[in-house]
Structure formats: structure tokens, C-alpha cells
Amino acid sequence: MFSFEFMRNAYLAGTLIAIVSGIMGVFVVARNMPFMTHTLSEIGFAGAAFGIFIGWTPLNGMLAFTTVSSILVGELSGAVQSRRESVISAISGLFIGLGILFLSLSNKNSSYATNILFGSVIGISHQEVIQMATLSVLVLVVLFFIFRNLKDDSFDSVGAKTNHIHAALISIVFLVLLAFSVSVAAQIVGSLLIFVLLTLPAASSKYFAHSVISMMMLAIGFAIFGVWFGLYLGYITNWPVTFFIASIEAVIYGSALLYNAIANKSK
């Protein structure tokens, strides 16, 4: 399997994506933002289609659209907190329409839409792996510097107010990092199911972990297992890798729920 360059690239990219998704997912779950992750994935679809339309790479188009829209969503939803879901839904619908329009105008065949929506392991080049690695390191470095404030704002709102943390600024920075994470991870699982890696591993880990750090480590482990095993199953069966990754993460989450139910029943 590893004699093929595209599989080596897929495993390298998948490992980077799993690490970033595991860490970011902990804060996505803590801040109750799975719906926002789903919205950014749809915006990423529009960005990738726009990139293809004007001659950019899909990743660059995703980065442009998700970054700008994450800032807009952060500002709009922060200003009218009670209308957060309505604002996100409106933006989501608009960008899905734009994605379809850009694909239509670019005169590309349906395989381009399929690759954007479901990912394309075979299409990942060494140059794209380097670009994903650079973006992943950038996300992790910024997270390192804002970790304490982000942790307090996500898990301890009272402590955040006591420490005079600028919650609005932290929220916007986090949304931008989430936009980067969505754009990077979509290269493996596609924009349609990106929320699988950014929510399920972290949601599963919270039933076993007793601290934020242990939750992150478990989330990374679950994400890496899903990606690695999914890539292997995809290779030997020639079935979509995204299907296997989503199924594996769903099984892990179901097992976590079962463990939690048994643990609570035994108390």
C-alpha cells in the first residue's frame, strides 16, 4: 500500500488532519458549535467551487471563503445572539447556491463536485501535503498562544469573566482557526462530512476523559484511528474512504454512549 505515493500522501495528510480536528473538536463540542462547523463546510464547498472557477486550487478557495465568512458570522451572531441559528442558516443557504453556480459557470464535470463534497484521497499531491502541514502548524501555534483564554471561555465562563477575557475577540479568532481546520480537513473527508472529524472524536472522548488535555489526547487518538483504518479499508475495498471514516467514528461514538449508560446504571 505504501509503495504508492498517493497513499503515503493520504496518510501524512490524514494524520495532520486528525491531530488538528481532535484538538479543535474539543472546543467545538465545548462551545456547542457543531452546526457552525457544518455551515463552514458548506461555505467551503462554495469556496472550492469558486477557486476552480477562477483558476485557484480548491484549498485556496476554501480558505478565502471560510475565513471571511467565519468573521462575518462571528460578528453577526455576536450582535444578535438570539438569532444565531437563523443567521447561520441564511449564510449556509446562500453559499450552497453560490457553490452550485460557480461549478456551473466553470464548465467542469460532476467529478469535481464529487471530489469537493466527498474528498479525493487519490488527488492529494505532495505539494498539497506541504500546504496542509503549514496550515496545520499555524492553527496549532495560534491555539498554543490562546489556549488558556480559550479554555476558560469555553469551559469556565465565570472564570473567563473574572479574568476579564475578551470573549468576542477569542470567539472570532477561534472561528478563523475553525475555518482553517475545515478547509484542511475537507481534503480527506470532503466538505459534506467534515463535521464528522470535528465533532464525533471529541464528543466520544468526553465520556472517558476527566480533563481538557486528556479529552484532547483521546479525541486525537479516535480521529487518527478512524482516518488510518478508513484509508486502509478504502484501499483494500476501493470503496469511498469517507464512508469508512464516518462509520468508524460513529461506531466509536455509539460505544462511548453505551459505556456512559452502563457506567451510570452501575452507580
Side-chain angles (χ1 to χ4, degrees), residues 17 20-29 33-34 37-38 40-41 177-183 185-186 189 193-203 223:
I17 289 167
V20 172
S21 297
I23 295 174
M24 288 293 295
V26 169
F27 295 108
V28 169
V29 171
M33 298 182 71
T37 303
H38 181 64
L40 283 176
S41 70
L177 293 179
L178 184 59
F180 276 45
S181 303
V182 165
S183 299
V189 294
L193 291 178
I194 182 57
F195 59 91
V196 168
L197 282 180
L198 279 166
T199 55
L200 289 187

Side-chain angles (χ1 to χ4, degrees), residues 220-266:
I220 290 172
F222 291 150
I224 287 178
F225 176 77
V227 170
W228 283 4
F229 197 35
L231 286 170
Y232 172 71
L233 292 175
Y235 174 77
I236 63 174
T237 62
N238 204 31
W239 289 10
V241 170
T242 301
F243 160 72
F244 288 115
I245 294 176
S247 299
I248 292 166
E249 297 301 343
V251 168
I252 293 173
Y253 182 63
S255 300
L257 290 177
L258 181 60
Y259 167 81
N260 183 62
I262 293 173
N264 288 336
K265 190 175 181 180
S266 63

Side-chain angles (χ1 to χ4, degrees), residues 40 43-44 60-73 172 175-181 183:
L40 283 176
I43 293 171
N60 287 338
M62 280 188 173
L63 285 171
F65 270 48
T66 56
T67 301
V68 171
S69 61
S70 66
I71 296 173
L72 290 175
V73 169
I172 291 176
L175 283 172
V176 172
L177 293 179
L178 184 59
F180 276 45
S181 303
S183 299

